[in-house]
Amino acid sequence: MPVTSTLRSRLSAFTPTVLRTEVLAGLVVALALIPEAISFSIIAGVDPRVGLFASFTMAVSISVLGGRPAMISAATGAVALVIAPVVREHDLPYLIATVVLAGVLQVVLGLLRVPRLMRFVPRSVMVGFVNALAILIFWAQVPHLVGVPWLVYPMVAAALAIMVFLPKLTTAVPAPLVAIAVLTVLTVVAHLAVPNVGDEGALPDSLPVLGVPDVPFTLETLRIIAPYALGMALVGLMESLMTAKLVDEVTDTHSSTTREAWGQGAANVITGFFGGMGGCAMIGQTMINVRAGARTRLSTFLAGVFLLVLVVGLGDVVAIIPMAALAAVMVMVAVGTFDWHSIRPTTLRRMPRSETAVMVATVVVVVATHNLAIGVVVGVVVAALLFTRRVAHLVEVDGVLSPDGAVKTYHVHGALFFASSNDLVGQFDYPGDPGSVVIDLSDSHVWDASTVAALDAVTTKYAARGTTVDIVGLNPASAEMHERLAGHLAPAH
């Protein structure tokens, strides 16, 4: 049967080498998720258990439902910032209801194929997104490196050395996992007094429980949670889809944005019913996973499972992992994530200034707001404005007088839309032209009503002087728009 053969082929792809890579990558990600989830819980103003349970349910759910294999979803800082006011003003049950509603909205947006709009995100915004993300990942480690015992610094240096030089000798075991294990053993054996995971917050000792948010099901509740749910849905989708696009480029594979969108929504609904704070894709942990060689859903699933096992079953062991080891892992992720080629002097000299401006704008806004979604929106808007400005100046109008001087033909070259057509009216010699004028649009395209209005203005000005105007060379789409709108647009005031 086709289903059986497909399942058999997928299982056969898990060779011992692939299986080992997926398992070890999932373990490294799980270890890195613990302090991050605890930190994001603090940002959101909830107990660390809420963030840890969210990371478990998000990772496990999205491994089955998501559209991008090997991508990690869990509790994130971007989502924590959006929903923090709900906890502060209305308490935890309203946060849980917000998460569920946000998930429903994401499912709806996914089914409406809204994620397809991602194709309008230019490369310069993507580069800015990646660079800003690397800066934020690095900056998030600074608190673990400032005001700490001096022993932390040689430990971080040792971990970085392991992660830099071990892959040159062997890639059988992920270097981050070796660094974490070595520093943990060293800390225990030498009785080193350095900050550890246990200092970040209490770890849960029981499994998450399924339940319904304890809020009144009224319009007043909807009024309270709807704005935050919409914000969470949009921020989560944008960050997830940008991360998926980045993984697509790194792995030279394709993902389903539609499936990823409704998969994120379904995962948030599940997470909400299990009392989690919700989340979205995590670029840092995803990069750890992908750079460790993981390429399948198994690593994502195991990251969630390992996380739960570690914090519930092996909480005492996890608690003694030094934060220096995890901070070093994330520093390496930041260094590996940053697009260093984009800031080389040779690249900056070759790149159009508008492209560089878009990248810089994206980075500055993301770093200033700590919100990737806002930065991406600003980057896209800046890119659109600069593109419009550039294209608007590519329209040329050439006038040729006939040998007998009775007809003047204007050849218009370029795309005609609201930005370029505004200057079109001033490109003609109204008092000096003969009684017959031809406007040839063979090398142009009429994109909008602004252009039709501009052409109406031109013919009106000529008509006032008794000059006849023929507009020729329209392609079918332009002709249809011109015929439908010409003479029916009131002049702008």
Side-chain angles (χ1 to χ4, degrees):
M1 295 178 65
V3 175
T4 304
S5 60
T6 301
L7 181 61
R8 188 182 297 113
S9 65
R10 289 184 177 180
L11 290 176
S12 64
F14 285 102
T15 62
T17 301
V18 171
L19 191 61
R20 183 185 69 234
T21 300
E22 299 291 319
V23 171
L24 293 179
L27 180 57
V28 173
V29 170
L31 290 170
L33 277 174
I34 295 171
E36 294 284 306
I38 294 174
S39 299
F40 297 147
S41 298
I42 295 171
I43 292 173
V46 298
D47 188 278
R49 294 173 179 83
V50 179
L52 289 166
F53 285 158
S55 296
F56 159 68
T57 53
M58 285 294 297
V60 171
S61 300
I62 206 66
S63 69
V64 178
L65 302 171
R68 173 65 260 179
M71 191 166 78
I72 306 296
S73 292
T76 62
V79 169
L81 288 171
V82 173
I83 61 178
V86 182
V87 182
R88 188 166 56 247
E89 298 171 13
H90 304 285
D91 212 359
L92 182 61
Y94 281 86
L95 179 143
I96 303 303
T98 300
V99 172
V100 173
L101 179 58
V104 172
L105 292 175
Q106 287 177 328
V107 171
V108 172
L109 291 173
L111 295 178
L112 292 176
R113 300 186 182 278
V114 171
R116 290 190 173 185
L117 296 175
M118 280 298 297
R119 65 177 179 269
F120 295 110
V121 177
R123 180 187 177 279
S124 52
V125 175
M126 274 294 298
V127 173
F129 167 82
V130 169
N131 290 347
L133 203 50
I135 294 171
L136 290 182
I137 292 172
F138 177 83
W139 193 252
Q141 311 316 310
V142 172
H144 302 301
L145 303 174
V146 176
V148 294
W150 70 269
L151 283 171
V152 168
Y153 302 110
M155 291 179 70
V156 170
L160 292 174
I162 291 173
M163 287 182 283
V164 170
F165 296 109
L166 181 61
K168 300 179 185 298
L169 302 176
T170 178
T171 56
V173 180
L177 183 59
V178 174
I180 292 171
V182 169
L183 264 64
T184 302
V185 171
L186 177 64
T187 301
V188 174
V189 172
H191 301 288
L192 301 179
V194 293
N196 55 36
V197 172
D199 297 330
E200 297 294 304
L203 299 177
D205 54 8
S206 61
L207 298 175
V209 179
L210 184 65
V212 178
D214 185 18
V215 296
F217 292 90
T218 62
L219 290 177
E220 176 62 17
T221 299
L222 182 63
R223 183 191 66 79
I224 292 172
I225 68 174
Y228 299 106
L230 180 60
M232 176 183 168
L234 294 177
V235 168
L237 271 187
M238 195 171 296
E239 193 160 342
S240 298
L241 295 174
M242 291 291 285
T243 303
K245 188 174 181 179
L246 177 61
V247 177
D248 288 351
E249 293 181 0
V250 172
T251 61
D252 291 325
T253 56
H254 297 285
S255 58
S256 170
T257 55
T258 299
R259 178 174 174 179
E260 185 60 37
W262 65 254
Q264 288 284 337
N268 271 310
V269 171
I270 294 170
T271 297
F273 283 128
F274 274 100
M277 60 181 275
C280 62
M282 299 187 75
I283 183 68
Q285 279 66 23
T286 298
M287 286 296 100
I288 291 176
N289 199 39
V290 171
R291 295 192 186 284
R295 293 293 184 272
T296 74
R297 299 175 185 275
L298 180 62
S299 58
T300 305
F301 176 81
L302 290 177
V305 172
F306 284 148
L307 173 65
L308 188 65
V309 171
L310 288 170
V311 298
V312 175
L314 301 174
D316 293 338
V317 176
V318 173
I320 62 176
I321 295 176
M323 286 303 301
L326 297 177
V329 170
M330 296 309 293
V331 167
M332 285 297 293
V333 169
V335 172
T337 300
F338 196 91
D339 186 350
W340 297 100
H341 181 268
S342 67
I343 61 172
R344 288 178 182 172
T346 53
T347 303
L348 294 175
R349 283 196 297 269
R350 290 195 186 103
M351 195 69 65
R353 291 182 180 180
S354 59
E355 298 283 324
T356 303
V358 170
M359 180 189 74
V360 171
T362 305
V363 171
V364 170
V365 173
V366 170
V367 173
T369 63
H370 284 230
N371 191 312
L372 295 166
I374 294 176
V376 170
V377 170
V378 170
V380 170
V381 170
V382 172
L385 291 175
L386 293 176
F387 174 78
T388 300
R389 179 176 178 273
R390 187 166 64 249
V391 173
H393 295 292
L394 295 179
V395 174
E396 296 181 358
V397 180
D398 302 320
V400 179
L401 192 64
S402 64
D404 59 3
V407 179
K408 189 171 185 178
T409 302
Y410 286 93
H411 298 276
V412 182
H413 309 269
L416 297 174
F417 63 110
F418 63 90
S420 60
S421 61
N422 283 334
D423 298 328
L424 187 63
V425 180
Q427 300 294 315
F428 300 88
D429 183 13
Y430 301 103
D433 283 344
S436 180
V437 168
V438 176
I439 301 176
D440 187 353
L441 299 179
S442 300
D443 296 323
S444 302
H445 186 96
V446 176
W447 286 104
D448 57 11
S450 295
T451 302
V452 178
L455 292 172
D456 281 352
V458 171
T459 56
T460 299
K461 283 180 175 291
Y462 274 121
R465 298 176 180 273
T467 302
T468 60
V469 178
D470 290 322
I471 298 176
V472 301
L474 290 165
N475 59 43
S478 298
E480 189 276 331
M481 177 173 288
H482 186 264
E483 182 179 353
R484 177 159 44 90
L485 297 178
H488 299 287
L489 298 172
H493 298 287

